[in-house]
Amino acid sequence: WMAACQGTSSVKNEPSSPLLSLPMHLLLWVSDKAPYMFTPGAAECDELADLLRSKASWDLKLTAMMFWATRPPPASEASSHTISVQQLWHQYVPFLPSLQQMSHLLLFNDAEREELQDDELASYSVACQKLLDDWYCTYFAPEAPLGCLGASYEDIEWAMAIVRTRAFSLPLDKATCADLHATSEGKAGEERWDMLISAASPFADMLNHTVDASTTFQIKNSFFEIALCASRSAGAEADLCYMQNGSNADLMQTFGFSIPGNPNDRIKFPDASALPGGGLNKV
């Protein structure tokens, strides 16, 4: 496959053929329940690992990991023959949007919230900003537990917006669960075979959203794969459905965009009793 300026094109048209295959250790991921597991390389930062082992929310964990992974990696990794998670994500940063290029509701100001003409979306925007303030003061400020990472408020704002617009959740197959249980440090807690993870993957965010997607993704044998699920001619855009049955309000709240003519949009009508004539109008 190849990345274009506004999407991703397939160079083959074979359904089930992987367009992308990445080992799990290069993804940023956290498990949903205890025993909490996460990207192995993140354990090298003690303060970050403490947060990842806690009961903190998945998006806080991924936000902290996103900032850590996109910083310059240690000089000791430069001579390694295998790429580390920090090396890959640091190199991928130029392909990620800046704060000014993103449109998530987290980043809206008062004037932009008024233009939404939607009280629920406006309230969600305010709630996201309050959560960001709380996260920064509690975890990332200089005197906080992760203050050693040296993150500014804008750094965490960027990382949070990236995670909110690009993270996804998916189950792990049994082979991957077995591999994680065998290699996890400490092996504390009961082994689980129904593990769900929240994750972010480089390159996966290059696929644009559509209702009728041509690709699907999964984790199989400790690899994250994106594969064609419908035939596409070589050079045609490969796309992905970000949210099944997602209305424009859903897409705007979760990802910060909407699509013209969304077939999942619905109009909420008032109860019949609130309409003139009890909802029964004669012509």
Side-chain angles (χ1 to χ4, degrees):
W1 61 277
M2 56 184 179
C5 59
Q6 295 183 345
T8 302
S9 299
S10 172
V11 296
K12 57 180 72 175
N13 61 354
E14 305 167 8
S16 301
S17 177
L19 300 178
L20 171 69
S21 183
L22 278 177
M24 281 278 291
H25 73 270
L26 295 180
L27 271 63
L28 301 181
W29 63 272
V30 294
S31 60
D32 61 325
K33 296 177 182 177
Y36 295 109
M37 298 183 183
F38 48 87
T39 303
E44 298 173 6
C45 177
D46 292 339
E47 294 80 4
L48 177 58
D50 288 342
L51 173 68
L52 298 177
R53 295 189 189 101
S54 74
K55 295 180 180 180
S57 64
W58 68 269
D59 48 349
L60 170 58
K61 291 179 179 181
L62 280 185
T63 295
M65 210 184 310
M66 180 64 68
F67 173 75
W68 165 80
T70 52
R71 300 304 93 190
S76 58
E77 295 184 359
S79 58
S80 175
H81 295 293
T82 58
I83 190 169
S84 71
V85 63
Q86 272 190 291
Q87 286 175 316
L88 177 60
W89 279 93
H90 180 61
Q91 293 176 27
Y92 190 64
V93 168
F95 296 97
L96 294 172
S98 65
L99 274 175
Q100 292 71 30
Q101 293 172 319
M102 284 189 281
S103 57
H104 191 268
L105 294 176
L106 166 69
L107 310 175
F108 276 41
N109 57 37
D110 290 338
E112 290 167 336
R113 280 191 284 268
E114 288 185 9
E115 292 183 12
L116 289 169
Q117 300 181 33
D118 187 306
D119 291 341
E120 291 185 7
L121 291 179
S123 296
Y124 180 79
S125 173
V126 172
C128 285
Q129 291 179 352
K130 289 182 178 178
L131 183 62
L132 170 62
D133 292 342
D134 178 63
W135 283 2
Y136 183 76
C137 293
T138 304
Y139 297 98
F140 301 100
E143 67 280 3
L146 293 176
C148 60
L149 296 180
S152 67
Y153 183 91
E154 289 74 19
D155 288 332
I156 301 306
E157 185 178 28
W158 174 84
M160 182 178 179
I162 288 290
V163 166
R164 288 293 182 97
T165 56
R166 282 158 170 74
F168 51 87
S169 63
L170 74 169
L172 302 184
D173 65 301
K174 289 187 177 181
T176 302
C177 286
D179 185 44
L180 291 175
H181 286 308
T183 58
S184 62
E185 54 176 318
K187 302 180 182 178
E190 182 180 353
E191 292 187 351
R192 295 177 52 223
W193 305 101
D194 59 343
M195 195 180 303
L196 186 73
I197 66 167
S198 296
S201 169
F203 310 112
D205 63 308
M206 291 185 178
L207 277 75
N208 285 325
H209 167 77
T210 187
V211 175
D212 299 315
S214 61
T215 67
T216 186
F217 58 86
Q218 65 177 354
I219 288 181
K220 184 178 180 180
N221 296 324
S222 298
F223 276 79
F224 171 71
E225 295 183 347
I226 295 179
L228 286 172
C229 60
S231 181
R232 284 289 191 274
S233 59
E237 181 175 2
D239 39 38
L240 185 67
C241 181
Y242 292 3
M243 178 183 290
Q244 293 289 339
N245 304 316
S247 68
N248 274 342
D250 296 329
L251 295 174
M252 191 67 197
Q253 176 171 314
T254 307
F255 304 107
F257 70 85
S258 60
I259 55 176
N262 188 338
N264 296 313
D265 268 349
R266 300 291 184 270
I267 297 176
K268 294 182 180 179
F269 287 100
D271 293 336
S273 60
L275 298 172
L280 299 176
N281 293 319
K282 297 180 179 180
V283 179

